[in-house]
Amino acid sequence: MSFINKGKGKEPSMTPAASATPGASATPGPASAISDALTAEERVYQETIQQLQKTYAKKIKPLEQAYCFEGFHSAPLTAQDIGSKPMVLLLGQYSTGKTTFVEYLLGESYPGAHVGIEPTTDRFVAIMNGPEPKVIPGHAAAVSGELPFSGLTKFGTKFLSRFQVAQLNNPLLSNLTLIDTPGILSGSKQIQRGYDFTSVINWFADRSDLILLLFDSYKLDISDEFKGAIQSLRGHEDKVRIVLNKCNQVNQQQLMRVYGAMMWSLGKVIPTPEVNRVYLGSFWPRYKTPVGTVYEDNAELIASEQRDLLRDLRSIPKNAALRRVNEIVKRARQARVHAHIIGHLRSELPAMFGKDKKAKAMVEDLPAEFRKIQTRYNLPPGDFPNPEAFKNDLEAFKIVDFNKLSLKLIGNADDALSVDFPKLMQKFPTDSRKSADIGLGTFEEEESGSGRSSEKPGQRHLETPIVPYPPPYSAMSAAASSSNGRNPFGEDTDRNPGILRYRALFDEISDPHRKMLAAEGAREVLAQSGLPNERLREVWNIADWDMRGELDQVQFEVAMRLCEHLKNKEAPDAAKQQVFAELGLLNRFNSQ
């Protein structure tokens, strides 16, 4: 069950036909059929997005345009911005594991990804859902009406040359978009980027639902540019999660020292009295063999911390509509205060002579002018911008060119804040009986009415579409998320064919530390199938696709299932396609 439109690679449609609500027409048509197919939560999400788009365009956007809100904050939002999928932004210095973290979540690499100990990701990459793996260059992505990146054009050609959209057909990306960013260097090298890195970070932060700051247990220093990027997130503290990665590469004593040193470094950059929550983890893709020394003394702590972070990620689709409302309300309050500031400065200018002198005096003493506005219009001080930052932005304008305060535009914004948005909040259910793990995680726990086939295993044919589950290597897959809480009466493999049925056997015969099964051990087990050597040779060539000469847990599952199908006299190619489809490995199947 997901709150996002079911269509692959498409944003929720805002056309009148697709946005029709139940009961809007006496004659059932395509719109009512679409609406009937949605769950109650999905309907709430779509209706909320449509109403937000309408309210913003009618009552908030005119206020922003009248008082040049874009010059001080950010450009007006488009329908694609408001209706886009939830977004997760990853930030960190080079080689802290940002791209590897994406692979850990997806269970596979995305097009154009490159991982190394040196600075490898040299551009911003938006990883999105699509029918097939492909890369869309930044200039094309910025002018596409289907993608929410048109606002990036203001950063110019040099930035767009360092931006791209990577698409692949992964079920997790039907619920969110991941933003991979360039590694931040120390020293003066980063100054030569050719675009304002901090402003770009701020643009993505405004539109993100979650921001992950990744640190490396071996790399705790915070460079000047990274410090600027962190400070640019001010106002988005509720979205930020701090992650200390590669924790299994240090022992328990070292981890305690590393944690303390990082908290000390963060205390100098994030000036808040509260202690920030730091998630410990080692986010390594399950299809890759760990490199370096791996310490086991922190395994239980790291596993618990990783589950907490994944729980936050799983809750994103469920809370997407609420967060959209929250972001628009926050922006509306900013626009309202901004309009009062600009209108006040303009109205204080004399009618005839001395305008420049008065304007200069007001700019030099902005805190005093802010206090006047707070008192006159009864506005909360916490809604006002930083006086120094506002002063710097104001230097690009002449106060005499601004519009005077429009009571009509202010009234529309007040009406949105006091009537429209509270009415939207009433649409959301107040009970929390459903699990928070909706849209991303343990799919075997979801309701059977969410689109799964009612066929029994014996009735499934090769041409029958198999409901997409997260790939077995994904951190969100049933294989990963159920490893700590298996059902003592067995897993429901009928409803979720992606569950690893041979997991217990693999755990019994594999290396417990490396989680790998050597060729000799696999030979003994596979030979028990009774298949001839030429068939077993084909099975091994399919399962050992990376040619390591050993099998991991998923590859062993593939081999055992292939043996099942081949014993039933199925053709090897058909058996391979069926097994890869059941396990969510079709991308790997198509690439072989």
Side-chain angles (χ1 to χ4, degrees), residues 146-311:
E146 296 181 355
L147 300 176
F149 302 117
S150 59
L152 292 173
T153 54
K154 72 175 185 177
F155 297 112
T157 299
K158 289 189 176 179
F159 167 73
L160 291 177
S161 298
R162 293 292 179 181
F163 171 69
Q164 66 186 32
V165 174
Q167 291 186 334
L168 72 159
N169 189 356
N170 187 295
L172 267 66
L173 295 177
S174 64
N175 289 319
L176 54 82
T177 295
L178 302 172
I179 307 295
D180 196 3
T181 60
I184 301 174
L185 305 177
S186 58
S188 61
K189 301 182 184 70
Q190 66 269 17
I191 298 175
Q192 304 170 6
R193 290 188 188 273
Y195 58 88
D196 190 340
F197 181 81
T198 303
S199 296
V200 174
I201 292 295
N202 191 255
W203 188 92
F204 279 108
D206 285 340
R207 290 155 177 79
S208 295
D209 295 78
L210 197 67
I211 303 170
L212 299 181
L213 294 181
L214 273 76
F215 291 84
D216 186 338
S217 57
Y218 287 94
K219 203 180 281 95
L220 298 177
D221 61 308
I222 299 177
S223 66
D224 292 340
E225 189 179 37
F226 194 25
K227 179 180 178 180
I230 293 174
Q231 291 176 340
S232 73
L233 301 178
R234 188 169 298 166
H236 302 293
E237 290 84 358
D238 60 316
K239 304 177 183 179
V240 176
R241 304 291 186 272
I242 300 171
V243 180
L244 180 58
N245 197 11
K246 306 181 184 179
C247 289
N248 66 349
Q249 296 184 9
V250 294
N251 61 35
Q252 197 170 60
Q253 183 184 24
Q254 291 170 332
L255 179 60
M256 183 176 65
R257 294 176 183 273
V258 166
Y259 181 85
M262 191 184 69
M263 296 300 290
W264 180 81
S265 298
L266 286 173
K268 298 197 301 181
V269 178
I270 307 176
T272 59
E274 298 85 7
V275 177
N276 295 285
R277 167 72 190 272
V278 176
Y279 294 88
L280 308 179
S282 183
F283 302 97
W284 188 256
R286 298 173 63 227
Y287 60 89
K288 290 184 177 180
T289 304
V291 296
T293 304
V294 176
Y295 293 89
E296 298 292 338
D297 48 355
N298 298 315
E300 186 175 346
L301 170 65
I302 292 174
S304 177
E305 291 282 303
Q306 291 184 174
R307 285 196 297 270
D308 288 349
L309 180 58
L310 293 177
R311 190 176 297 115

Side-chain angles (χ1 to χ4, degrees), residues 70-202:
E70 178 178 0
F72 296 80
H73 297 276
S74 59
L77 300 177
T78 64
Q80 288 83 0
D81 289 329
I82 299 175
S84 63
K85 297 172 185 176
M87 191 178 293
V88 178
L89 174 65
L90 284 80
L91 285 175
Q93 301 188 110
Y94 76 93
S95 192
T96 53
K98 298 183 296 296
T99 302
T100 304
F101 182 84
V102 173
E103 295 182 0
Y104 168 82
L105 289 181
L106 298 180
E108 58 186 326
S109 180
Y110 63 82
H114 179 54
V115 176
I117 60 173
E118 76 282 5
T120 51
T121 303
D122 61 346
R123 62 192 65 229
F124 285 79
V125 184
I127 302 104
M128 308 182 73
N129 199 37
E132 59 184 4
K134 68 177 179 180
V135 173
I136 303 175
H139 291 277
V143 298
S144 172
E146 296 181 355
L147 300 176
F149 302 117
S150 59
L152 292 173
T153 54
K154 72 175 185 177
F155 297 112
T157 299
K158 289 189 176 179
F159 167 73
L160 291 177
S161 298
R162 293 292 179 181
F163 171 69
Q164 66 186 32
V165 174
Q167 291 186 334
L168 72 159
N169 189 356
N170 187 295
L172 267 66
L173 295 177
S174 64
N175 289 319
L176 54 82
T177 295
L178 302 172
I179 307 295
D180 196 3
T181 60
I184 301 174
L185 305 177
S186 58
S188 61
K189 301 182 184 70
Q190 66 269 17
I191 298 175
Q192 304 170 6
R193 290 188 188 273
Y195 58 88
D196 190 340
F197 181 81
T198 303
S199 296
V200 174
I201 292 295
N202 191 255

Side-chain angles (χ1 to χ4, degrees), residues 444 446 448 457 469 487 489-499:
E444 75 255 23
E446 296 185 17
S448 59
Y469 295 92
N487 192 321
F489 299 100
E491 308 290 356
D492 189 356
T493 57
D494 289 352
R495 289 175 54 196
N496 185 353
I499 292 176

